[in-house]
Amino acid sequence: MTKRGLVLSGGGARGAYQVGVLKAISEMHEKHAHNPFSVITGTSAGALNAVALAASANNFRLAVRKVERLWTNLHVHNIYKAGALDLLYGMGRIGLSLFNSGVGRSRPLALLDNSPLRELLQGSIQFRNIQRRIDAGYLDAVAVSATGYTSGESVAFFQGREDIEGWHRHRRRGLKAELGVEHLLASSAIPMIFPPEKLSREYFGDGALRQLAPMSPALRLGADRILVIGVSGNARKILPRETTVHSPSMANLVGHLFNSAFIDSLEHDLDIMRRFNDLIGMVHNDAPFTSLGELRLVNLLAIYPSIEFDAVAEKHVKDLPRAMRRIMSRMGATEEGGGGSFASYLLFEPKFIQELIGHGYRDAMAQRDAIHDFFLEEEI
């Protein structure tokens, strides 16, 4: 039986794009159809979307509507405290840590206080329903990835059927857990921006940090068809010869660091998977009875933004609260500073979010035929 997997990458506020894609996919299914994915995995903002879908897996379209409602009602103050005093306090704690071996005494170090996000998740997602949906057969497993600061491992915390076991590979581990708010906060804890979260005896941060194989958890949990919704949205810019290029701004540098964590590993993993598929196909054609061990063909479909997130973010920086807007401007998160990419990760404001949802919806509709083929059962 075909087991479809959904892989939702990280990217802060960029995760709104995934909602648009999911909305289009839900409209391609019957109104009361249940969740069409056996396995759902997510990282960072993608983890929030993954768990929300799993909690309402009995009705896919309704689940997507709930996720869309959550995103469209977001403001920065629902995710982190962005007042002038809050930002000064965060910067002050980071500065004072230099006199304490770089360690935060009262709580983990971070520029932003994301306690509002904790409250939002506690009130918005029915975590107790996840196991009910699994027991009812609406999905096999849901996984959330985070990075251990002590072990240096990429850990996929998963909740699934009893017969699904954990795994351990080099720098990668799968641990069975009852998912909760703390797992989502750990998975979305962008280093130095949001505080790491303590799970058991270890502090965890954003799952994209050491996630060299973002599709691995879905494969380990049994998926043989994988739909990936990425959040790259950065077209390659070709500068005209007469353009004067200034040195990169702080926002530009940080944006590139974020892109390398959230985007590059997924694109690299997709490239490797496609090469494996080509190799396996050649072996099947030339020597159909050859044993390939654990290797198997994986049907892949990747949906990426057709827009440039940097440009969209640059025109919406003005929607941020005043103190946050000033910091972004000083760091160069503007068209002149080239740091729109950095701003796009923290721009949890309605106009930016609604624009991304709209682009995600249109991009998915443009690939309607490919999506339809993905959900077709394989012929026996």
Side-chain angles (χ1 to χ4, degrees):
M1 179 180 177
T2 298
K3 291 185 179 294
R4 300 180 190 87
L6 174 65
V7 176
L8 301 172
S9 61
R14 293 180 177 212
Y17 175 85
Q18 298 170 350
V19 180
V21 175
L22 292 168
K23 180 180 180 180
I25 294 173
S26 72
E27 293 180 5
M28 297 177 196
H29 287 75
E30 294 182 3
K31 186 175 182 179
H32 299 292
H34 62 72
N35 159 58
F37 301 99
S38 300
V39 175
I40 304 175
T41 68
T43 303
S44 194
L48 184 156
N49 293 335
V51 170
L53 289 176
S56 299
N58 57 315
N59 189 319
F60 184 51
R61 189 174 296 189
L62 179 61
V64 174
R65 284 179 181 171
K66 288 180 179 179
V67 178
E68 182 183 14
R69 191 180 308 120
L70 174 64
W71 276 92
T72 53
N73 288 319
L74 281 183
H75 289 273
V76 161
H77 66 258
N78 299 126
I79 307 298
Y80 55 86
K81 296 180 180 180
L85 293 178
D86 299 307
L87 297 174
L88 286 173
Y89 179 70
M91 290 186 286
R93 290 189 69 246
I94 292 175
L96 288 174
S97 72
L98 299 178
F99 300 95
N100 189 41
S101 301
V103 177
R105 288 184 174 179
S106 58
R107 56 193 177 90
L109 292 173
L111 174 63
L112 302 176
D113 179 352
N114 65 345
S115 56
L117 176 60
R118 185 186 298 272
E119 297 175 9
L120 176 70
L121 296 175
Q122 288 173 337
S124 302
I125 300 178
Q126 301 297 316
F127 292 93
R128 64 178 181 275
N129 285 344
I130 296 175
Q131 193 59 48
R132 295 176 184 175
R133 308 310 180 203
I134 293 171
D135 293 341
Y138 292 117
L139 75 160
D140 292 343
V142 56
V144 169
S145 294
T147 302
Y149 278 113
T150 301
S151 65
E153 291 182 325
S154 175
V155 180
F157 296 96
F158 69 91
Q159 189 167 347
R161 298 194 327 260
E162 290 186 5
D163 61 320
I164 299 179
E165 299 180 353
W167 63 89
H168 190 197
R169 296 293 184 270
H170 180 66
R171 296 293 184 185
R172 287 179 283 148
R173 185 185 295 269
L175 292 178
K176 185 167 286 190
E178 183 176 342
L179 298 179
V181 172
E182 64 275 13
H183 295 93
L184 298 185
L185 291 175
S187 182
S188 58
I190 302 174
M192 297 307 297
I193 303 296
F194 297 133
E197 186 76 10
K198 192 174 184 181
L199 300 174
S200 185
R201 295 175 295 176
E202 185 175 7
Y203 279 97
F204 285 84
D206 200 292
L209 293 178
R210 299 298 292 270
Q211 197 177 39
L212 301 178
M215 290 187 291
S216 176
L219 294 171
R220 291 289 174 187
L221 292 170
D224 49 30
R225 284 191 175 195
I226 295 181
L227 171 63
V228 177
I229 305 179
V231 293
S232 57
N234 286 314
R236 183 175 299 173
K237 297 179 181 179
I238 301 177
L239 298 175
R241 186 170 298 177
E242 65 273 12
T243 299
T244 300
V245 180
H246 55 70
S247 62
S249 66
M250 178 63 71
N252 190 291
L253 292 171
V254 176
H256 278 290
L257 288 174
F258 283 3
N259 289 344
S260 67
F262 290 109
I263 296 169
D264 294 352
S265 59
L266 177 60
E267 294 180 344
H268 179 66
D269 200 25
L270 279 167
D271 185 52
I272 290 177
M273 183 62 67
R274 292 188 179 107
R275 291 174 184 269
F276 267 115
N277 280 343
D278 291 341
L279 178 61
I280 293 170
M282 291 173 59
V283 173
H284 280 174
N285 288 333
D286 296 338
F289 300 105
T290 301
S291 174
L292 295 174
E294 294 183 354
L295 294 179
R296 65 183 189 276
L297 281 171
V298 177
N299 190 313
L300 285 176
L301 175 60
I303 298 179
Y304 278 105
S306 60
I307 53 160
E308 215 179 299
F309 278 159
D310 294 17
V312 178
E314 285 162 2
K315 70 179 183 181
H316 286 292
V317 169
K318 67 180 187 305
D319 299 329
L320 287 167
R322 181 182 300 177
M324 195 67 186
R325 186 169 67 245
R326 287 181 175 176
I327 286 182
M328 287 290 179
S329 178
R330 291 286 184 265
M331 292 180 64
T334 59
E335 185 175 0
E336 295 77 14
S341 182
F342 171 53
S344 70
Y345 288 94
L346 299 174
L347 242 169
F348 294 94
E349 287 295 324
K351 291 182 180 179
F352 179 68
I353 287 171
Q354 289 167 5
E355 186 165 348
L356 295 195
I357 291 175
H359 283 297
Y361 182 86
R362 289 188 289 274
D363 286 348
M365 284 299 184
Q367 295 193 51
R368 177 190 288 270
D369 292 341
I371 293 172
H372 176 73
D373 291 342
F374 177 83
F375 285 103
L376 283 178
E377 291 288 347
E378 291 181 339
E379 295 182 3
I380 299 176

